[in-house]
Amino acid sequence: MAEADEQLTLLDWHPSPFTTRVRIALAEKGLNYESRQEDLSNKSSLLLEMNPVNKQIPVLIHNGRPICESMVIVQYIDEVWNHKSPLLPSDPYQRAHARFWADYIDKKVFPIGRLMWASKGEVKAASKKDLIECFKILEGELGDKPYFGGESFGYVDLSLIPFYSFFYTFETLGNLSIVEECPKIVDWAHRCLQKESVSKTLCDQRKFYEVLLELSRGGPEPKWSSVGSIDLTPLNS
Amino acid sequence: MAEEEVKVFRTWSSPFPLRVIWALKLKGVEFDTVYEDLSNKSPLLLQYNPVHKKVPVLLHNGKPICESLVILEYVDERWKQFPLLPQDPHERAKARFWAKFGDDKVLQTMRMDVLLKQGKEQEEAIVSTIENLKYLEEELKGKKFFGGETIGLVDIALGWLAYHFNVVEEIIGVKLIEQQKFPLLVAWMQEFSNIPTIQDSWPPRDKLFDRYASFRKAALGEHTPK
């Protein structure tokens, strides 16, 4: 149970979908925390101390102890503050189902999306096709449910919704229309945005695009080689 | 308790289904095994894992669960004996972190870049693997197993290091896990392999060697330098 003297600090970077997941989880549980924005071209000594292995955000520091990796952090939050707004279901099979889809989202959405926006020609065309395919598979999993979690917002919804911030980028750099290709996903996203924990947390789509452009303008030696695992080294097709 | 139907879809060689086999055996769960030929996937496999079409799949009373680490957590939640994850949430988070690290960083690099590449690309992959192994060595300080006194999720997830890894080393002719550099890891590999359940489950080494050698040959094409 959360006590008044519990210390929660999030090593954060607002545009990152991975830190966004953690911020949504913290908001769902009604937790107060300190957010420290990292400069990823100049990582703080705290970040390097708390995540020496991957040196990436997000890191949640709870009473001085670090937890790393976004969905590991989300599960931790769900387990410690288990008295309200459960993110994972209680049934083991349903839990496995949720973990499977969050893992799918991790393996597909971000790597394929990033490949698409950073590449040209054939590679771009192939990854665009893969990305649409991936969203269609997710639509299939969503089915007629309001959320991936069923009647309420849950673990899978939380793992996917931060990528809504990427839609303008996908559409502009990929020359596609997500609402045309995957209308159910867009409906679902709008439903999630009605939740304060989501709407107050998600990075604005245009802002994300601008941040990405700025990062990729870093010149021949981009300032940041990795941004919460975004690698903007343009790929040759 | 009603009879439970537990089936594991696996191949003879892949380390991923082996994790599930170990977990079930350690927990004393009875199960059937279905061997798949991934060049000719069975209709059942495609039905139970339509998204990835891979092994392992755990079928429990007709319901499929896919992805080895997801399956391990499911098995641990369903069968409480011989727990794989600790009780404390922070320790659980650490275990999940290391299991993910093992897969994303070490395993991925070994099977894709160290085994299947050559020249500069392979060299860089070897350097990166050694760096990552150092983190694992550090994590073993003061412990017999990654799980502490007994094996846990992380040991099972990293189990391939105690067997499959050496086959790759032999094929490429480079030893990465050297006794001098990684005394704790070497000790862990021996302790882990000494566990009867683990020892009895390893795939035949010569077959595995041939298999990995053929992967390397195929990846590098005909002009493979020795």
Side-chain angles (χ1 to χ4, degrees):
Chain A
M1 291 275 281
E3 300 294 338
D5 57 358
E6 297 232 47
Q7 274 214 319
L8 276 172
T9 302
L10 178 66
L11 302 186
D12 198 352
W13 186 64
H14 187 76
S16 161
F18 305 102
T19 65
T20 302
R21 289 168 164 178
V22 178
R23 293 199 305 271
I24 294 174
L26 291 165
E28 281 287 298
K29 302 283 185 179
L31 295 170
N32 290 320
Y33 63 97
E34 180 203 0
S35 160
R36 292 170 75 138
Q37 295 293 316
E38 285 285 329
D39 173 358
L40 296 172
S41 63
N42 184 21
K43 292 175 182 178
S44 71
S45 53
L46 183 62
L47 174 56
L48 300 176
E49 182 198 334
M50 291 286 142
N51 191 356
V53 175
N54 292 331
K55 305 173 178 60
Q56 284 174 343
I57 45 86
V59 180
L60 183 72
I61 307 172
H62 181 207
N63 293 340
R65 295 196 299 179
I67 304 101
C68 309
E69 289 300 316
S70 61
M71 295 319 283
V72 174
I73 299 171
V74 169
Q75 288 183 83
Y76 175 82
I77 291 169
D78 205 33
E79 287 176 12
V80 173
W81 291 278
N82 56 6
H83 57 293
K84 95 176 247 201
S85 302
L87 297 168
L88 272 169
S90 51
D91 170 68
Y93 184 74
Q94 298 299 329
R95 290 159 72 82
H97 196 78
R99 286 184 175 124
F100 173 88
W101 283 104
D103 175 74
Y104 176 84
I105 289 158
D106 267 353
K107 284 185 162 103
K108 301 282 182 178
V109 176
F110 181 60
I112 297 174
R114 178 181 62 188
L115 183 61
M116 186 190 73
W117 78 47
S119 60
K120 297 178 279 200
E122 274 177 30
V123 176
K124 192 186 196 79
S127 48
K128 174 175 160 180
K129 191 164 166 275
D130 286 345
L131 187 67
I132 293 170
E133 165 83 12
C134 165
F135 278 123
K136 286 201 195 294
I137 287 175
L138 287 166
E139 275 193 327
E141 168 54 22
L142 180 64
D144 293 323
K145 307 194 296 280
Y147 300 100
F148 286 92
E151 289 307 309
S152 47
F153 183 88
Y155 189 76
V156 180
D157 304 278
L158 182 152
S159 74
L160 183 60
I161 193 61
F163 295 103
Y164 178 75
S165 304
F166 288 27
F167 281 16
Y168 179 76
T169 303
F170 286 156
E171 292 180 332
T172 306
L173 295 180
N175 191 27
L176 65 103
S177 164
I178 298 185
V179 71
E180 266 178 40
E181 300 282 356
C182 309
K184 271 182 163 182
I185 287 287
V186 175
D187 273 347
W188 160 83
H190 291 165
R191 192 172 301 121
C192 293
L193 279 162
Q194 282 165 25
K195 292 172 66 66
E196 220 178 71
S197 62
V198 175
S199 61
K200 288 201 163 168
T201 304
L202 241 56
C203 181
D204 172 74
Q205 288 191 5
R206 288 279 180 144
K207 171 128 200 281
F208 181 82
Y209 179 69
E210 277 155 31
V211 167
L212 198 66
L213 286 189
E214 200 188 299
L215 288 176
S216 63
R217 273 184 211 122
E221 283 289 330
K223 278 197 299 183
W224 321 5
S225 64
S226 74
V227 166
S229 66
I230 296 177
D231 174 6
L232 292 166
T233 314
L235 298 156
N236 295 320
S237 62
Chain B
M1 274 279 272
E3 273 295 304
E4 302 227 49
E5 190 213 18
V6 183
K7 250 185 206 164
V8 179
F9 287 74
R10 65 170 295 188
T11 59
W12 66 267
S13 56
S14 170
F16 298 100
L18 207 47
R19 296 167 170 178
V20 179
I21 306 283
W22 289 334
L24 292 170
K25 283 189 174 177
L26 288 163
K27 289 176 179 278
V29 178
E30 301 266 333
F31 64 96
D32 289 323
T33 304
V34 178
Y35 281 92
E36 285 285 329
D37 171 3
L38 294 180
S39 64
N40 185 20
K41 294 173 185 179
S42 74
L44 273 185
L45 179 65
L46 299 177
Q47 178 195 332
Y48 291 136
N49 193 356
V51 174
H52 297 304
K53 307 175 177 53
K54 285 190 200 171
V55 292
V57 176
L58 178 76
L59 198 66
H60 185 207
N61 293 335
K63 288 187 181 171
I65 304 103
C66 309
E67 288 303 302
S68 62
L69 294 182
V70 174
I71 298 171
L72 287 179
E73 295 234 24
Y74 175 82
V75 167
D76 208 36
E77 287 175 15
R78 277 284 188 210
W79 293 281
K80 305 285 190 195
Q81 63 276 28
F82 204 103
L84 302 176
L85 276 171
Q87 290 291 317
D88 172 68
H90 190 255
E91 293 300 313
R92 292 160 74 82
K94 277 168 67 180
R96 288 174 177 138
F97 173 87
W98 286 110
K100 190 173 197 303
F101 173 79
D103 275 4
D104 291 352
K105 298 284 165 88
V106 191
L107 180 52
Q108 187 67 0
T109 310
M110 265 315 257
R111 65 204 292 251
M112 299 306 288
D113 300 322
V114 175
L115 179 63
L116 303 180
K117 305 239 166 96
Q118 59 188 345
K120 187 150 183 280
E121 273 188 292
Q122 188 197 46
E123 277 164 30
E124 283 171 358
I126 288 173
V127 167
S128 143
T129 300
I130 289 176
E131 281 309 303
N132 288 326
L133 289 170
K134 285 183 188 164
Y135 291 123
L136 295 179
E137 177 78 10
E138 180 72 27
E139 183 53 24
L140 275 172
K141 279 209 174 109
K143 298 198 288 200
K144 189 172 167 190
F145 295 109
F146 289 98
E149 276 307 299
T150 53
I151 65 171
L153 182 92
V154 182
D155 302 275
I156 291 183
L158 293 173
W160 65 278
L161 281 174
Y163 193 82
H164 302 64
F165 190 96
N166 177 250
V167 176
V168 176
E169 284 178 319
E170 198 184 315
I171 288 168
I172 65 169
V174 180
K175 193 126 183 83
L176 280 77
I177 304 185
E178 290 174 292
Q179 169 73 44
Q180 270 196 335
K181 272 195 193 148
F182 299 106
L184 299 178
L185 212 47
V186 170
W188 169 81
M189 284 159 59
Q190 282 160 3
E191 289 282 359
F192 184 79
S193 297
N194 282 343
I195 297 166
T197 300
I198 308 296
Q199 210 173 73
D200 295 342
S201 314
W202 293 131
R205 201 181 185 286
D206 48 357
K207 268 182 86 178
L208 199 63
F209 182 96
D210 289 344
R211 184 175 174 80
Y212 285 2
S214 73
F215 286 164
R216 181 169 172 78
K217 204 164 165 209
L220 298 181
E222 301 242 317
H223 313 287
T224 318
K226 197 215 155 264

